[in-house]
Amino acid sequence: MQKALADEYQRLQTGESTRAVAYLRLRRALQNLMDAGVLKPGQALPSERDLASLLSLSRVTIRKALAGLIESGLLVQRQGAGTFVAERILRQFSRLTSFTDDLRERGLNPQVRFLERSVGEVTPEESMALNLSPGSGVVRMYRLRHVDGSPIAIERTLVPYSLLPDPDSVTTSLYEALDAYGNRPKRALQRLRAVALDEEAAKHLELPVGSPGLLVERRAFLEDGRVVESTRSYYRGDAYDFVAELQSD
């Protein structure tokens, strides 16, 4: 890895030699190696002293380059252990999968904590989201999602009670519980936008108010067109990436 970093840094080098250019060049070199998969999630970086020696830079310059990547969530520092490439979760837009499915596929350990779970009569707003008649029952779930003990997302979910008659059957994965009733979604509409986390979301995700986050709104459908799920989720912007594969005609 050290040779790859030295080569990439030299490739980016220009005729300028100011400290500002040097730290920005190093930051870009590290980002390029992360994008290329040379630096992998969880991998440790060389120490500041080793990086300074490798690239003939001052430790102040090294520290400034790393600080920018730490602030953007690409690197993490662990006291007494060093600096590591941040673990980021990739979620495909092109596949209809659950949060639990995504994490298990990557060898991670998903956990969930229910902040609320109830059954009640659908409200006018909920009836529009789920295409339910007035008086219908609805399951409401408010969940905090964790990965290996760290909060990663907070979700408010609505499901028609007729499709999930035992809300307590949802332990980790909603889709697994729906599948047991023959009601696993077949398609979904999903919208994503960047947001600044409000006080409630920031508190649960253990971030400062106003931190960058991703708001994802999903409506999932059965094969016959009935709405089976309406979910509004806030994801940590420093730990989650959404990826879509695009193809030309």
Side-chain angles (χ1 to χ4, degrees):
M1 186 276 284
Q2 293 194 29
K3 182 179 185 306
L5 178 57
D7 289 346
E8 182 63 13
Y9 181 81
Q10 291 299 321
R11 188 184 72 81
L12 296 174
Q13 195 165 22
T14 66
E16 299 174 273
S17 59
T18 65
R19 289 182 183 272
V21 171
Y23 88 79
L24 290 174
R25 187 186 309 136
L26 175 55
R27 189 179 300 176
R28 171 53 60 189
L30 288 166
Q31 284 184 274
N32 288 349
L33 293 184
M34 284 186 268
D35 291 341
V38 177
L39 281 173
K40 302 183 184 303
Q43 184 173 348
L45 266 61
S47 68
E48 289 182 5
R49 178 180 298 175
D50 289 344
L51 286 172
S53 175
L54 175 69
L55 303 173
S56 299
L57 296 172
S58 72
R59 293 182 67 174
V60 172
T61 300
I62 300 295
R63 198 170 296 125
K64 191 171 183 180
L66 298 182
L69 295 173
I70 291 167
E71 185 177 353
S72 63
L74 295 176
L75 296 177
V76 292
Q77 277 188 328
R78 299 172 189 163
Q79 190 167 5
T83 304
F84 298 80
V85 179
E87 298 274 2
R88 297 184 68 84
I89 300 166
L90 298 180
R91 187 162 190 176
Q92 296 272 354
F93 258 141
S94 55
R95 296 174 57 214
L96 179 53
T97 57
S98 70
F99 178 95
T100 303
D101 291 337
D102 289 335
L103 298 186
R104 286 176 178 166
E105 284 182 3
R106 289 162 177 80
L108 300 174
N109 180 28
Q111 302 108 29
V112 62
R113 180 159 68 92
F114 282 85
L115 304 176
E116 295 176 20
R117 177 161 36 185
S118 64
V119 177
E121 185 174 313
V122 69
T123 66
E125 183 178 354
E126 292 168 344
S127 69
M128 291 182 64
L130 297 173
N131 292 340
L132 292 178
S133 303
S136 299
V138 64
V139 177
R140 304 180 182 99
M141 290 179 289
Y142 189 25
R143 298 176 292 171
L144 181 59
R145 316 302 297 260
H146 289 78
V147 178
D148 295 326
S150 299
I152 199 77
I154 188 165
E155 300 181 337
R156 286 192 181 273
T157 300
L158 303 172
V159 180
Y161 180 67
S162 61
L163 302 178
L164 186 65
D166 181 12
D168 290 335
S169 65
V170 181
T171 54
T172 303
S173 172
L174 169 62
Y175 283 15
E176 285 180 0
L178 289 169
D179 198 22
Y181 291 103
N183 293 324
R184 190 179 181 96
K186 299 300 182 185
R187 67 180 185 91
L189 298 175
Q190 192 158 268
R191 182 174 66 177
L192 177 151
R193 60 186 171 93
V195 296
L197 295 175
D198 61 20
E199 185 175 358
E200 181 179 5
K203 175 185 175 182
H204 287 303
L205 295 177
E206 300 177 5
L207 292 170
V209 175
S211 295
L214 297 171
L215 171 60
V216 180
E217 297 171 299
R218 174 188 283 196
R219 291 178 78 215
F221 304 84
L222 299 179
E223 198 164 10
D224 61 10
R226 284 180 294 166
V227 181
V228 65
E229 171 206 11
S230 176
T231 294
R232 184 179 176 93
S233 307
Y234 288 93
Y235 291 86
R236 292 181 62 124
D238 62 352
Y240 224 93
D241 290 328
F242 283 79
V243 178
E245 180 179 349
L246 305 177
Q247 297 181 356
S248 61
D249 292 336

